[in-house]
Amino acid sequence: MRALDLDYMLGLVPVILGYVPLTLFMAVVAMACALVLASLLAVERVVRVPGLDWLVVLFISFFRGTPLLVQLFLFYYGLPQVIGFLTQINGVTAAIMGLTLHFSAYMAEAIRAAITGVDRSQWEAAQSIGMTQGQMMRRIVLPQAARIAAPTLVNYFIDMIKGTSLAFTLGVTEMMGATQKEASGSFLYFEAFLVVAILYWIIVETLNQGQKQLETHLNKAYAR
Amino acid sequence: MIRVRGLTKRFDGTAVLDGIDLDIADGERVVVIGPSGTGKSTLLRCLNFLDRPNAGTIEIGDVSVDAAKATKRDILALRRATSFVFQNYALFANKTAKENIMEALVTVHDRPRDEAERRALEVLGETGLAEKADSYPAALSGGQQQRVGIGRAMAIGADLMLFDEPTSALDPEWVGEVLDLMRRVAEQRQTMLIVTHEMQFAREIADRVVFMEGGRIVEEGPPQEVLEAPRDERLRRFLRRVS
Ligand SMILES: Nc1ncnc2c1ncn2[C@@H]1O[C@H](COP(=O)(O)OP(=O)(O)O)[C@@H](O)[C@H]1O
Ligand SMILES: [Mg+2]
């Protein structure tokens, strides 16, 4: 066993930190898109639009039923072969698309369950004052479902941040890709991957703290 | 003027409302009494289309709906002409007392926010809850929640206010304040259709009492007749049980 090269590790920290913005950019954009898509899918699952329901069920089943890495390869390497205008697709875009679709399928289920968890009386009160379906969803049901789903959704966001590391397989130099390059230059694989692991860990722990504050905020209305 | 004809609602083939005919004049206060499971809630819910009637016509103000061919637009129009006070209050849990009252004004009736806010504060004043404007429902007592519920229904100035046992879920200590507020609403000549088991209150407030049983109106008339000199045997039995 050899000693860890601590100087190398310390020197590597700022290098990898430089790629944190790209990692977070991909995660935040994919999360925002996935939230919107998942909400639409979830609302559809609850109200069951005839002719659309089976498509949504199929979508959710496929993106939950296949590995994220396979989906990313399908988008980046596969789709451009069959769809012409996608030849220009770059790794970052493909990664964001893949993460969005993959996680929206999971999040749709979480949001659907949360919508179902909103008390029936809340729906009826909204209907009784003459709200349209859309108004009822946007103003009453989804905000309350958000509170129920929030802890689960934050967990998916954390999974998503870790999932961005797969973008390096599409040639994107994000945290993982940068580490890979550094390590293959220095041959200090253990040190390099330990540094990147710790950086991911710190980001995730920071988010866990944020989650507690978010929950306090969302529960404000419900505190006695 | 409210005119209901042949209102029928079936659950699993059983007629829970069996052809209800009911006229209510503007400003009239009608109290519905009857044993439980007799269709009183269903009647109110059908008037608001929370339950969809199988047949019959409903006319409220200038809105006229034939249940058998009611469109989405008809249903919204009918709901906007009525307001509903629920037994379990059903305040929007994600909104403050003030926002609960503003919601219908802003979202449904397209009033400007500042006007809606003024109206909400005015109504909260009438319900005696001005200082609770920014409290969320979870922080209010049952009686306070129901007063906000009534305020929410008052604010939109509906042609007909529906009350489904508004005091039945309350601890006895809060019943009085809710009934007091309903008396004040009644003094404003608001048209009201009230399901309640509070017989003393019915006697005081009602222009007319309607006794329902088995999905039908069995007897109706001024409170002194229906409550003091009931003709139908089922009504007599019911009154002996509740008094
Ligand atoms: N959603 C429903 N599905 C099936 N049966 C129902 C439903 N709602 C009410 N009922 C039945 O209709 C009858 C009348 O109910 P309801 O109108 O609540 O009576 P009341 O308010 O007079 O106590 C009861 O027998 C009840 O079980
Ligand atoms: Mg009832």
Side-chain angles (χ1 to χ4, degrees):
Chain A
M1 225 178 110
R2 64 174 174 83
L4 281 182
D5 189 338
L6 285 176
D7 285 344
Y8 174 73
M9 287 174 70
L10 282 175
L12 199 55
V13 168
V15 177
I16 301 179
L17 276 181
Y19 295 90
V20 169
L22 179 57
T23 288
L24 290 184
F25 170 78
M26 288 192 291
V28 167
V29 173
M31 186 69 186
C33 297
L35 269 176
V36 174
L37 181 56
S39 300
L40 293 173
L41 294 169
V43 169
E44 194 292 324
R45 286 296 289 136
V46 173
V47 301
R48 307 218 163 168
V49 183
L52 196 63
D53 200 44
W54 69 274
L55 206 65
V56 171
V57 171
L58 192 72
F59 175 94
I60 291 175
S61 170
F62 177 80
F63 282 100
R64 284 171 48 133
T66 51
L68 175 56
L69 187 60
V70 175
Q71 292 164 16
L72 290 175
F73 276 35
L74 203 55
F75 280 113
Y76 186 64
Y77 298 109
L79 271 192
Q81 295 189 335
V82 288
I83 303 176
F85 68 87
L86 280 179
T87 47
Q88 303 302 323
I89 195 171
N90 66 30
V92 172
T93 312
I96 289 174
M97 272 175 60
L99 289 166
T100 296
L101 297 177
H102 182 80
F103 280 93
S104 69
Y106 281 93
M107 285 161 44
E109 281 302 293
I111 295 173
R112 188 198 56 76
I115 289 174
T116 322
V118 173
D119 198 272
R120 204 62 226 167
S121 69
Q122 298 290 309
W123 299 64
E124 294 196 336
Q127 287 168 346
S128 80
I129 60 173
M131 281 190 176
T132 62
Q133 283 246 16
Q135 290 170 336
M136 171 176 73
M137 282 295 170
R138 255 183 301 115
R139 304 204 42 95
I140 307 298
V141 176
L142 285 178
Q144 295 189 43
R147 165 175 168 263
I148 302 173
T152 316
L153 296 180
V154 172
N155 282 335
Y156 282 129
F157 184 50
I158 287 171
D159 278 353
M160 189 142 19
I161 289 177
K162 293 184 286 186
T164 57
S165 62
L166 292 176
F168 105 95
T169 62
L170 311 184
V172 179
T173 311
E174 36 62 72
M175 288 170 66
M176 181 64 189
T179 309
Q180 167 74 20
K181 278 185 189 156
E182 291 294 330
S184 52
S186 66
F187 297 106
L188 292 173
Y189 289 103
F190 187 75
E191 278 86 348
F193 290 123
L194 187 58
V195 168
V196 79
I198 290 170
L199 289 180
Y200 276 119
W201 190 12
I202 290 172
I203 293 172
V204 168
E205 271 311 310
T206 310
L207 272 171
N208 277 329
Q209 295 308 312
Q211 163 163 15
K212 291 195 187 105
Q213 290 181 11
L214 175 70
E215 269 173 54
T216 315
H217 173 74
L218 287 172
N219 285 335
K220 194 181 60 182
Y222 304 83
R224 286 179 183 278
Chain B
M1 176 75 197
I2 288 131
R3 186 196 305 271
V4 178
R5 287 292 174 272
L7 195 66
T8 302
K9 175 66 183 175
R10 285 180 291 270
F11 285 117
D12 317 316
T14 316
V16 170
L17 292 182
D18 198 4
I20 299 280
D21 297 334
L22 183 66
D23 288 346
I24 305 175
D26 288 339
E28 195 180 10
R29 289 144 308 193
V30 178
V31 167
V32 181
I33 59 172
S36 75
T38 230
K40 305 182 299 296
S41 294
T42 307
L43 170 62
L44 265 54
R45 293 170 58 84
C46 280
L47 292 178
N48 194 258
F49 263 75
L50 286 176
D51 286 329
R52 193 185 172 109
N54 298 93
T57 56
I58 302 169
E59 278 176 54
I60 297 177
D62 43 18
V63 181
S64 171
V65 176
D66 181 346
K69 34 184 194 243
T71 62
K72 261 190 194 153
R73 179 194 292 256
D74 291 337
I75 293 170
L76 288 184
L78 194 65
R79 286 176 177 162
R80 287 166 189 180
T82 54
S83 60
F84 206 107
V85 176
F86 294 87
Q87 185 172 344
N88 63 359
Y89 337 128
L91 295 186
F92 300 127
N94 59 327
K95 306 211 170 275
T96 63
K98 183 178 73 184
E99 290 166 346
N100 261 277
I101 298 175
M102 289 171 65
E103 186 61 32
L105 296 173
V106 174
T107 308
V108 180
H109 297 273
D110 293 323
R111 303 284 168 70
R113 277 199 81 79
D114 53 345
E115 184 198 318
E117 185 167 7
R118 268 200 309 280
R119 177 79 183 121
L121 291 173
E122 184 184 298
V123 169
L124 278 173
E126 287 177 56
T127 62
L129 289 169
E131 80 284 6
K132 296 291 183 188
D134 297 318
S135 300
Y136 285 95
L140 299 176
S141 73
Q144 291 170 334
Q145 288 189 57
Q146 191 58 297
R147 280 148 68 196
V148 176
I150 294 171
R152 174 172 72 180
M154 286 161 67
I156 52 178
D159 294 328
L160 174 64
M161 274 177 86
L162 302 162
F163 295 77
D164 190 9
E165 299 199 33
T167 58
S168 294
L170 291 174
D171 288 339
E173 54 180 320
W174 308 124
V175 170
E177 64 186 42
V178 169
L179 293 180
D180 282 344
L181 177 58
M182 289 173 66
R183 281 187 194 96
R184 282 208 295 286
V185 176
E187 280 161 17
Q188 300 169 5
R189 304 299 309 167
Q190 165 72 52
T191 316
M192 301 161 87
L193 182 59
I194 306 165
V195 176
T196 185
H197 291 299
E198 299 283 340
M199 290 302 154
Q200 184 48 44
F201 175 74
R203 210 167 268 130
E204 252 175 69
I205 200 183
D207 298 309
R208 181 156 43 119
V209 174
V210 170
F211 173 66
M212 274 181 73
E213 219 228 33
R216 293 173 192 220
I217 294 177
V218 172
E219 190 166 331
E220 63 180 308
Q224 47 289 18
E225 283 176 23
V226 173
L227 300 178
E228 315 303 339
R231 285 171 313 213
D232 190 273
E233 176 51 32
R234 288 165 292 182
L235 172 55
R236 274 187 232 138
R237 226 179 308 131
F238 172 75
L239 289 174
R240 273 200 300 277
R241 239 176 327 135
V242 294
S243 55

